[in-house]
Amino acid sequence: MSIDPHGELAWPFNSFDYADVPAHVIEVLSDAASNEYKDFLRRKEISYIITGEQQIDYQLMLSKLYELGIQRLMVGGGGTINWSLIQQDLVDEMSMILAPVANGDPTAPRFFTAKEPYTTIRDTQFELTHLEDLGDGVVWLRYIPKN
């Protein structure tokens, strides 16, 4: 799945390998995507759904994906999409791998990033539900949002 509100990504193929498993691309567009871009997707046999006027309506996106038979979704996105889903209370579990590596780059991607005016900054708390030592100082943490 690819979040592409204005239809700009232009995938060269309709699938890609994810951990040696072929995955079909589904573009998530808003009404702002042009008819030319939608025609490009059809020619490439790339599936798409439209979920919002100018921006993505994440609740509608999840409903449409569910109608397509997708019952569980792992989001491997960046901080903005992660935060958008958290802010709209659409996340039931957060899973992360923490490794003992740091580079100090102040411009490095963040796990959560508010992007105003689309999202706002607010505290969100989580409850730890799973902790597993994966070796070499690497741990797997799983959380659920606190209500």
Side-chain angles (χ1 to χ4, degrees):
M1 181 184 73
S2 173
I3 305 293
D4 189 12
H6 299 100
E8 302 168 331
L9 295 179
W11 285 86
F13 307 104
N14 64 4
S15 66
F16 63 98
D17 286 342
Y18 184 79
D20 295 327
V21 175
H24 181 75
V25 174
I26 300 175
E27 281 270 304
V28 181
L29 307 172
S30 73
D31 286 329
S34 70
N35 288 334
E36 292 83 7
Y37 186 74
K38 290 179 246 178
D39 185 54
F40 162 80
L41 294 175
R42 286 189 291 271
R43 286 192 317 272
K44 291 281 189 177
E45 297 181 349
I46 297 173
S47 302
Y48 66 88
I49 57 175
I50 299 172
T51 64
E53 292 182 21
Q54 292 294 315
Q55 296 300 320
I56 300 301
D57 177 334
Y58 290 102
Q59 181 69 50
L60 180 58
M61 175 192 78
L62 292 175
S63 294
K64 287 188 173 189
L65 291 172
Y66 187 81
E67 290 172 8
L68 292 173
I70 298 171
Q71 297 179 8
R72 186 168 178 88
L73 183 67
M74 182 199 82
V75 177
T80 302
I81 188 170
N82 292 345
W83 182 247
S84 294
L85 293 168
I86 289 288
Q87 182 171 336
Q88 294 180 32
D89 297 321
L90 298 173
V91 173
D92 59 5
E93 180 182 271
M94 180 178 64
S95 175
M96 69 173 71
I97 304 291
L98 183 61
V101 177
N103 68 9
D105 181 356
T107 63
R110 304 286 185 255
F111 203 71
F112 297 113
T113 304
K115 189 170 184 178
E116 293 181 311
Y118 309 111
T119 59
T120 58
I121 297 169
R122 69 170 167 85
D123 288 345
T124 300
Q125 296 181 358
F126 298 90
E127 179 181 332
L128 182 67
T129 61
H130 177 85
L131 169 64
E132 184 176 338
D133 184 343
L134 300 178
D136 296 323
V138 178
V139 293
W140 177 21
L141 306 166
R142 289 171 47 192
Y143 294 91
I144 57 172
K146 281 187 177 180
N147 293 332

